[in-house]
Amino acid sequence: MSTYDILVVGGAGIDTIVRVPALQLPVADSVHVLPIHDYVAHTGNGVALGCHALGLRCKFIDFIGNDAQGAAILQRYTEAKLDFSHLVEPSGTRRSVNLVDPQGRRLSLYDGRHPADLRMPAAFYLPYLGPARHAHFSIMAWVGDLYDDALACGTTVSTDLHDWDGVNPHHKVFALRSDLVFLSTAALKERRDEVMRAIVAGGRAQAVVAMAGADGAYLLERGSDAVRHFPCAQLDLPVVDTNGAGDSFVAAFLHAWLGGDGLDAAMRRGAIAGAYACAQHGTHERFIEQDELHDLYQDCTSL
């Protein structure tokens, strides 16, 4: 019996959300904006809290700083009862400033800050990686070193490449060594299908999911050349902020996939969770729970 359903590795930080009139800012000394707020956020945080809210036994590990931002992360996880273990990184906690326009679109200014040669000791992560049914790897450089151990432990791995252009070599180890690969279509455009097929052909992915926001998502399964489209879920909720929508999609997809529901159901549940996240202000402040997801899934599939 595995100790954890999912181990999330890397990706905790702080988002500063600035609501702006438009993402293209005027050339000016100052621009008046609505109140600015800080949120515990980033991709690993979203997947971990999303899986936790859906009832999965989730463990989260990462580096954070001994600073105010790190303290805010620890407080949030204590309140949420999320099982989190960390090592202290002297360079501090990762941060980003996210500009959000009135339509909920965002531009993220990311401060990764951790040194390029940072590595997590195997003695720290192996006690969590070995007992996990599945691991989700954030795309920090040091996380890529865990693939050999995941393979040796028999632990399947997923990753989110975010807005990969299909070329940047940093992402390739994650693209080609993961069992499930998520990415955004933002930088792919007409190369979407080509890149998805290259991930399957060159790596071990059983499925590649390309998320396209309001345009839905695309699925390519190993053994099939067909890239299938799944529409965005139509919920009776306003779109106020797209921060964290992709992470919520991933969490609900993994919940369904680990539950044996199949890829089609996982895609539809992911779409519902992603749309639900867009109706929440801030990053990762409110996650869909299992009963809500079940009810919305029943509503959507009965239409």
Side-chain angles (χ1 to χ4, degrees):
M1 179 86 178
S2 298
T3 304
Y4 308 109
D5 293 313
I6 183 166
L7 169 69
V8 178
V9 184
I14 297 292
D15 274 359
T16 298
I17 304 295
V18 184
R19 300 194 174 277
V20 294
L23 296 183
Q24 187 75 32
L25 294 176
V27 179
D29 287 338
S30 63
V31 176
H32 290 281
V33 298
L34 294 172
I36 297 170
H37 295 287
D38 289 339
Y39 298 94
V40 175
H42 294 198
T43 183
N45 169 82
V47 174
L49 283 174
C51 288
H52 179 64
L54 288 169
L56 291 174
R57 297 168 301 158
C58 182
K59 177 72 181 184
F60 187 18
I61 59 174
D62 199 5
F63 292 95
I64 60 173
N66 185 18
D67 49 24
Q69 291 75 32
I73 288 170
L74 294 176
Q75 180 179 349
R76 174 73 190 279
Y77 296 163
T78 298
E79 292 171 353
K81 296 182 173 59
L82 176 65
D83 187 354
F84 178 68
S85 297
H86 72 284
L87 296 173
V88 172
E89 170 47 44
S91 61
T93 302
R94 302 179 205 92
R95 304 192 67 179
S96 65
V97 175
N98 292 351
L99 308 183
V100 180
D101 74 5
Q103 289 73 46
R105 295 171 301 195
R106 69 159 185 174
L107 172 65
S108 181
L109 309 174
Y110 178 63
D111 169 13
R113 79 173 47 217
H114 293 169
D117 61 353
L118 181 66
R119 294 295 180 270
M120 180 174 278
F124 180 79
Y125 66 75
L126 278 176
Y128 309 122
L129 182 62
R133 291 177 59 200
H134 180 77
H136 183 78
F137 285 2
S138 301
I139 55 171
M140 290 82 197
W142 59 267
V143 182
D145 289 345
L146 277 64
Y147 275 103
D148 285 344
D149 286 320
L151 185 62
C153 292
T155 303
T156 54
V157 177
S158 57
T159 194
D160 187 346
L161 306 178
H162 299 284
D163 58 348
W164 187 41
D165 60 4
V167 177
N168 188 330
H170 170 80
H171 303 70
K172 281 193 174 180
V173 65
F174 297 91
L176 300 182
R177 299 200 67 185
S178 296
D179 301 278
L180 293 173
V181 175
F182 301 88
L183 74 165
S184 165
T185 62
L188 299 179
K189 299 182 170 53
E190 70 278 358
R191 297 178 58 246
R192 181 197 66 221
D193 293 5
E194 171 192 340
V195 170
M196 293 175 74
R197 291 186 178 112
I199 291 171
V200 171
R204 57 180 292 123
Q206 297 303 305
V208 179
V209 177
M211 295 175 283
D215 292 329
Y218 298 84
L219 171 68
L220 176 63
E221 300 177 56
R222 179 169 293 279
S224 172
D225 194 51
V227 175
R228 294 193 290 141
H229 176 252
F230 289 76
C232 180
Q234 300 300 313
L235 305 184
D236 189 20
L237 296 170
V239 175
V240 297
D241 194 334
T242 59
N243 283 290
D247 300 327
S248 292
F249 182 111
V250 171
F253 183 104
L254 292 175
H255 176 261
W257 182 73
L258 288 167
D261 289 339
L263 291 173
D264 284 37
M267 290 291 291
R268 294 189 178 99
R269 289 176 185 270
I272 291 168
Y276 184 91
C278 291
Q280 316 302 318
H281 283 286
T283 307
H284 303 151
E285 289 303 287
R286 170 78 166 85
F287 289 90
I288 195 166
E289 296 182 358
Q290 192 168 356
D291 289 345
E292 293 172 299
L293 180 57
H294 173 77
D295 291 345
L296 288 170
Y297 180 76
Q298 294 300 116
D299 291 344
C300 290
T301 53
S302 64
L303 296 177

